[in-house]
């Protein structure tokens, strides 16, 4: 074994589900060689209304040249995910167990909900959805802050067989409109407004704009249900124990919430009139559970579709092993539910294990930079799952904010969203984990449904920056440019030739695109779009995207989607966007813009463009640099040579061979035009 390896803490290993690499390898081999047996043992822990057939447990085709790509697990069996997450746990005596602690943006604003209460609320909201005409297969869009109601809305969809389509509430009204029109949602569930730090965001106003814009795409949302969230702080202040008070405590702050009668309904009004029980709809294991948009390299978002049975097994199993979850643990994932991490590891995975988790509405910096550590101390969190960008941002403030809090309850630390740089890994390991906690650097994607390459706590010797080894059922393969499998040490395209239960099944309404994006480059393989290296000990190191995607603060976006926003500006003729390394965000957007003939590039134009991207996509997509480009470096066939632009962005004059450019002089011009000295 090479140097820089951190062995798991012995006391953790003793109690871990997987105690050694020998045990891991045995289970991993079983998962690949006796796939049916491995997953059916897990499936047997859940409720199936119609049982699965062990002789027809799963089937797939990854080879487009042999027919349509398809993946099926436990087809023919019926179940209900909500039933397995709530009713089953309540029946098993966990009704009074806390499902979620809720920690609001303001530290004075907090609450909790038990499994029994969550089930009751979900039944009520299922009845509300039914009363609005939602039936099995209908899509329900959700655009909400991190409050209990987002979980209630998701599970209510699952209960009645509707498909939730959550749009992260940091997306712009344009993005929301495009996604609602694409999935043709019948209902939109949202909230009035929310505080993030000391900033008030008027979510409902933004939804109104989005619902109007969706009409331009030919789609009308018939019902919008609005959670009254803002006065919750006042409610909790009016009750002694911090739980939600009654409606009579609510101070009316809503005279200015925009409203359309006949379309808009208050959540609490609707919930008052319905029964607290609702029989679950038994759906097929291959019926859709949810869809979630992720950026596509052409600029148009892709509606990744996950189905019922396989996703349930995979979210539950990865949660149990990757966080080494045991009853009594208090788990906290900081991801927003609007991203896949929030779906699988705030909602589905933890509830499937009957876990108690924290849902956090705020930011790591409010009211001070020690907020994360204070929440860990308050709830005695045992597993903490966050993103490298947050770790890097918090590292800036040194160890003092951490030292003010007792974080000794922690056992496992997780990382997700982008490769974690070794410096951040070590800071996390030493200052938060006190060299006792395992770090699970989890590599996965919206498309994979759950972790696919990750260390297991108490088991895997860790190498900072390496996601290490595949999860059960997963066999990563590296391909060279010609599609040949690379054995042993080497670097190439990260692909898979066999499905695990949680992999997506299609892109909503566009199976053609699903096949062409993921399965056409190397027939027979699912292509992640990432590159990876395997080292001499067999560890995988994900090296980053090999397509035109950018990863800014763990948010994936395509160069094409930003470029198309820039070129919509009437003064812009052409634009090219590349990523540049950023000390906190990981990568940031560096945009080259060619103005129309006769238009002068001014600071005003530059700030208009920044604003336009922010408004069209969302604040997280805000470019760091807009550079004037008198022309773009194009080959004679007209293709933009992005590698040259990436060199300009970092001021590295080693641009390599540029002899195929139509006009080589443009490269020097671009270096001269850099807005920054460095
Ligand atoms: O490039 C990889 C990067 O994030 C991409 C997936 O983004 P998304 O679908 O938005 O899901 C993010 C949360 C799972 C991947 O293709 N990525 C994610 N986690 C890691 C990572 N890259 C390296 N190491 C990771 N741990």
């Amino acid at each position: 074994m090479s140097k820089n390896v951190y062995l798991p803490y012995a006391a953790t290993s003793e109690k871990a589900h997987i105690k050694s690499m020998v045990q891991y390898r045995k289970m991993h081999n079983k998962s690949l060689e006796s796939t049916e047996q491995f997953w059916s043992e897990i499936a047997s822990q859940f409720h199936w209304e119609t049982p699965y057939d062990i002789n027809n447990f799963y089937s797939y085709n990854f080879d487009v040249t042999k027919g349509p790509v398809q993946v099926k697990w436990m087809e023919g069996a019926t179940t209900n995910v909500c039933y397995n997450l709530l009713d089953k746990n309540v029946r098993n005596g966990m009704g009074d167990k806390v499902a979620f602690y809720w920690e609001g943006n303001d530290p004075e604003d907090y609450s909790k909900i038990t499994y029994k209460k969550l089930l009751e609320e979900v039944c009520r909201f299922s009845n509300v959805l039914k009363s609005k005409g939602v039936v099995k297969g209908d899509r329900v869009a959700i655009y909400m802050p991190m409050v209990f109601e987002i979980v209630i809305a998701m599970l209510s969809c699952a209960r009645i067989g509707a498909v939730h389509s959550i749009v992260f509430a940091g997306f712009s009204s344009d993005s929301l409109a495009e996604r609602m029109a694409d999935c043709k949602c019948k209902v939109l569930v949202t909230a009035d407004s929310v505080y993030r730090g000391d900033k008030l965001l008027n979510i409902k106003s933004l939804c109104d704009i989005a619902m109007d814009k969706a009409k331009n795409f030919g789609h009308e949302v018939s019902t919008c249900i609005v959670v009254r969230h803002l006065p919750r702080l006042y409610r909790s202040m009016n009750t002694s124990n911090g739980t939600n008070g009654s409606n009579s405590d609510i101070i009316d702050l809503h005279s200015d919430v925009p409203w359309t009668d006949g379309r808009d309904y208050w959540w609490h009004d609707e919930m008052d009139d319905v029964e607290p029980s609702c029989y679950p709809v038994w759906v097929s294991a291959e019926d859709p559970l949810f869809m979630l948009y992720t950026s596509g390299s052409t600029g148009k978002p892709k509606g990744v579709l996950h189905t019922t049975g396989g996703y349930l097994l995979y979210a539950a199993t990865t949660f149990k092993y990757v966080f080494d979850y045991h009853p009594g643990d208090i788990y906290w994932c900081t991801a927003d539910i609007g991203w896949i991490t929030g779906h699988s590891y705030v909602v589905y995975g933890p509830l499937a294990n009957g876990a108690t988790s924290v849902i956090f509405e705020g930011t790591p910096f409010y009211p001070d930079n020690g907020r994360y550590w204070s929440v860990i101390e308050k709830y005695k969190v045992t597993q903490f799952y966050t993103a490298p960008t947050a770790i890097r941002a918090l590292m800036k403030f040194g160890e003092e904010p951490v030292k003010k809090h007792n974080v000794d309850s922690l056992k496992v630390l997780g990382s997700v969203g982008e490769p974690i740089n070794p410096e951040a890994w070590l800071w996390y390991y030493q200052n938060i984990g006190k060299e006792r906690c395992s770090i699970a650097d989890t590599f996965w994607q919206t498309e994979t449904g759950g972790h696919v390459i990750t260390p297991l706590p108490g088991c895997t010797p860790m190498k900072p920056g390496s996601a290490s080894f595949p999860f059960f059922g997963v066999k990563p393969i590296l391909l060279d440019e010609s599609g040949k499998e690379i054995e042993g040490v080497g670097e190439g395209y990260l692909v898979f030739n066999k499905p695990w239960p949680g992999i997506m099944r299609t892109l909503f309404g566009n199976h053609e695109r699903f096949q062409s994006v993921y399965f056409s480059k190397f027939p027979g393989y699912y292509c992640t779009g990432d590159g990876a290296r395997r080292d001499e000990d067999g560890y995988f190191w994900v090296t980053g995207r090999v397509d035109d995607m950018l990863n800014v603060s763990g948010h994936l976006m395509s160069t094409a989607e930003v470029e198309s926003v820039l070129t919509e500006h009437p003064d812009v003729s052409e634009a090219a966007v590349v990523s540049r390394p950023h000390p906190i965000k990981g990568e940031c957007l560096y945009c080259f813009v060619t103005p129309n003939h006769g238009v002068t590039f001014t600071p005003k134009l530059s700030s208009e463009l920044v604003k336009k991207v922010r408004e069209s996509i969302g604040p997280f997509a805000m470019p760091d640099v807009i550079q004037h480009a008198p022309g773009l470096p194009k080959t004679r066939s007209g293709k933009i040579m992005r590698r040259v632009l990436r060199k300009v962005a970092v001021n590295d004059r080693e641009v390599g061979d540029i002899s195929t450019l139509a006009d080589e002089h443009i490269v020097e011009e671009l270096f001269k035009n850099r807005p920054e000295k460095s």
Side-chain angles (χ1 to χ4, degrees):
M1 181 76 79
S2 55
K3 277 192 259 157
N4 277 338
V5 176
Y6 293 78
L7 296 177
Y9 188 57
T12 312
S13 303
E14 270 170 37
K15 296 189 196 123
H17 291 298
I18 314 291
K19 297 177 169 47
S20 68
M21 286 303 283
V22 173
Q23 190 186 350
Y24 159 75
R25 285 200 195 92
K26 209 168 137 204
M27 275 179 76
H28 187 249
N29 286 344
K30 177 174 170 186
S31 73
L32 295 181
E33 285 156 20
S34 315
T35 305
E36 287 86 351
Q37 202 195 337
F38 182 89
W39 289 109
S40 65
E41 279 166 16
I42 291 167
S44 69
Q45 295 156 27
F46 292 99
H47 172 81
W48 300 89
E49 187 65 10
T50 316
Y52 45 82
D53 176 359
I54 189 71
N55 298 313
N56 182 21
F57 198 72
Y58 81 116
S59 66
Y60 70 100
N61 171 42
F62 270 16
D63 191 341
V64 257
T65 64
K66 295 196 176 129
V69 174
Q70 53 100 1
V71 176
K72 292 192 168 117
W73 288 80
M74 298 166 287
E75 209 192 8
T78 64
T79 186
N80 183 285
V81 170
C82 176
Y83 181 91
N84 278 294
L85 267 45
L86 301 181
D87 308 55
K88 181 174 153 281
N89 286 327
V90 171
R91 278 163 194 245
N92 288 343
M94 290 204 286
D96 293 329
K97 184 171 178 178
V98 172
F100 291 110
Y101 289 107
W102 179 77
E103 174 79 8
N105 179 64
D106 191 299
E108 295 298 314
D109 199 8
Y110 54 90
S111 184
K112 62 186 173 193
I113 191 163
T114 61
Y115 273 85
K116 195 166 74 199
K117 181 75 179 153
L118 186 56
L119 173 59
E120 195 182 302
E121 296 291 295
V122 165
C123 286
R124 276 186 210 277
F125 196 64
S126 301
N127 288 329
V128 171
L129 288 176
K130 287 204 277 189
S131 76
K132 302 296 173 207
V134 177
V135 295
K136 178 172 179 253
D138 282 346
R139 274 78 56 208
V140 173
I142 300 177
Y143 185 85
M144 282 176 101
M146 291 284 280
V147 291
F148 288 148
E149 288 84 349
I150 185 171
V151 180
I152 296 167
M154 292 165 83
L155 298 182
S156 301
C157 290
R159 194 163 191 85
I160 62 170
V163 181
H164 59 74
S165 173
I166 304 187
V167 179
F168 167 58
F171 272 113
S172 65
S173 54
D174 282 355
S175 303
L176 175 59
E178 186 183 12
R179 287 158 174 76
M180 287 195 297
D182 186 76
C183 75
K184 299 193 180 53
C185 62
K186 213 176 232 178
V187 172
L188 167 64
V189 188
T190 188
D192 50 359
S193 44
V194 66
Y195 271 101
R196 289 226 6 116
D198 47 19
K199 230 167 78 193
L200 177 66
L201 306 172
N202 289 311
I203 297 182
K204 174 62 170 47
S205 313
L206 197 142
C207 286
D208 277 25
I209 302 170
M211 285 187 279
D212 272 346
K213 285 184 179 164
K215 288 185 198 153
N216 302 337
F217 296 112
H219 179 66
E220 181 143 12
V221 179
S222 54
T223 303
C224 177
I225 302 174
V226 188
V227 171
R228 178 149 68 176
H229 175 51
L230 189 60
R232 208 179 297 241
L233 175 61
Y234 299 87
R235 268 185 278 168
S236 63
M237 280 163 45
N238 284 342
T239 58
S240 53
N241 60 1
T243 54
N244 293 340
S246 70
N247 283 352
S248 61
D249 296 328
I250 298 171
I251 298 164
D252 188 12
L253 295 175
H254 285 86
S255 45
D256 54 352
V257 175
W259 209 255
T260 302
D261 283 330
R263 183 196 65 189
D264 299 347
Y265 302 87
W266 284 115
W267 171 290
H268 57 270
D269 286 345
E270 298 300 307
M271 293 286 268
D272 263 359
D273 296 342
V274 287
E275 287 294 314
S277 64
C278 170
Y279 197 73
V281 172
W282 303 114
V283 301
S284 158
E286 280 304 334
D287 276 338
L289 176 64
F290 69 84
M291 52 187 294
L292 182 60
Y293 287 93
T294 185
S295 291
S297 56
T298 58
K300 195 175 155 8
K302 303 173 296 203
V304 168
L305 190 96
H306 285 285
T307 57
T308 298
Y311 177 82
L312 171 64
L313 296 194
Y314 204 67
T317 312
T318 45
F319 177 80
K320 174 178 168 184
Y321 291 114
V322 174
F323 300 113
D324 192 36
Y325 169 76
H326 293 269
D329 287 348
I330 307 286
Y331 161 89
W332 179 24
C333 167
T334 65
D336 193 284
I337 291 176
W339 303 108
I340 189 69
T341 308
H343 283 59
S344 300
Y345 302 115
V346 177
V347 181
Y348 288 107
L351 293 178
N353 283 274
T356 298
S357 316
V358 178
I359 290 185
F360 178 50
E361 179 189 45
T363 89
F365 316 109
Y366 182 85
D368 59 48
N369 302 320
R371 187 69 191 279
Y372 272 3
W373 323 128
S374 93
V375 173
I376 290 172
E377 179 173 23
K378 177 171 173 183
Y379 296 99
K380 299 196 172 45
V381 170
T382 43
Q383 287 96 344
F384 177 62
Y385 192 29
T386 194
T389 184
I391 299 165
R392 288 191 297 263
L394 291 166
M395 269 169 77
K396 271 198 327 201
F397 307 109
E399 287 122 57
E400 284 318 305
V402 190
K403 284 191 182 146
K404 290 193 188 129
H405 300 281
N406 182 345
V407 295
D408 290 349
S409 53
L410 288 169
K411 295 192 298 191
V412 177
L413 301 175
S415 170
V416 60
E418 56 178 304
I420 179 165
N421 48 311
E423 197 196 350
W425 192 100
L426 275 175
W427 190 85
Y428 200 27
Y429 183 70
Q430 287 165 347
N431 296 296
I432 311 304
K434 317 282 186 207
E435 304 191 6
R436 283 183 294 101
C437 297
S438 283
I439 296 191
D441 172 2
T442 59
F443 167 81
W444 60 298
Q445 309 177 292
T446 305
E447 293 87 339
T448 66
H451 309 134
V452 283
I453 306 182
T454 177
L456 298 179
C459 165
T460 315
M462 296 161 286
K463 294 192 185 189
S466 166
S468 75
F469 298 108
F471 189 72
F472 305 128
V474 176
K475 184 173 169 243
I477 294 169
L478 300 179
L479 295 183
D480 68 15
E481 195 59 56
S482 70
K484 202 163 130 302
E485 294 194 9
I486 299 167
E487 303 293 335
V489 177
E491 185 168 342
Y493 293 92
L494 176 62
V495 301
F496 302 94
N497 66 357
K498 180 181 178 343
W500 52 93
I503 192 172
M504 69 178 157
R505 302 300 195 255
T506 188
L507 293 179
F508 180 79
N510 203 341
H511 201 66
E512 282 292 305
R513 188 175 181 203
F514 168 73
Q515 297 188 148
S516 77
V517 172
Y518 302 105
F519 294 92
S520 67
K521 188 168 172 70
F522 301 112
Y525 298 95
Y526 164 70
C527 215
T528 58
D530 285 295
R533 180 166 66 81
R534 185 169 31 221
D535 73 12
E536 59 285 1
D537 301 314
Y539 281 66
F540 285 92
W541 300 73
V542 178
T543 50
R545 303 295 304 184
V546 288
D547 51 14
D548 292 331
M549 303 294 275
L550 297 146
N551 192 328
V552 180
S553 304
H555 302 322
L556 212 56
M557 61 192 85
S558 71
T559 52
E561 85 187 287
V562 183
E563 285 160 7
S564 85
V565 173
L566 293 170
T567 50
E568 273 167 19
H569 191 288
D571 288 344
V572 172
S573 148
E574 268 196 303
V577 176
V578 295
S579 76
R580 183 170 77 167
H582 186 280
I584 291 174
K585 300 187 209 177
E587 291 180 351
C588 70
L589 296 173
Y590 195 112
C591 312
F592 294 87
V593 169
T594 309
N596 280 327
H597 190 65
V599 172
T600 313
F601 185 88
T602 57
K604 180 167 168 282
L605 174 59
S606 172
S607 53
E608 275 174 25
L609 291 171
V610 170
K611 189 160 165 263
K612 194 165 162 41
V613 176
R614 190 189 154 93
E615 285 173 2
S616 299
I617 303 176
F620 57 88
M622 211 163 87
D624 276 40
V625 184
I626 306 271
Q627 173 175 338
H628 176 216
L632 293 171
K634 290 188 186 164
T635 59
R636 281 179 201 92
S637 59
K639 201 168 163 357
I640 296 170
M641 217 184 247
R642 281 170 202 279
R643 69 175 168 82
V644 171
L645 295 176
R646 279 193 282 270
K647 292 284 185 185
V648 176
V650 294
N651 205 13
D652 175 1
R653 288 185 179 257
E654 301 287 318
V655 291
D657 180 15
I658 51 169
S659 59
T660 54
L661 285 182
D663 174 9
E664 287 180 37
H665 299 294
I666 198 67
V667 178
E668 191 45 44
E669 285 277 305
L670 290 175
F671 275 107
K672 263 202 277 172
N673 268 354
R674 289 185 83 256
E676 304 155 340
K677 294 268 176 323
S678 63

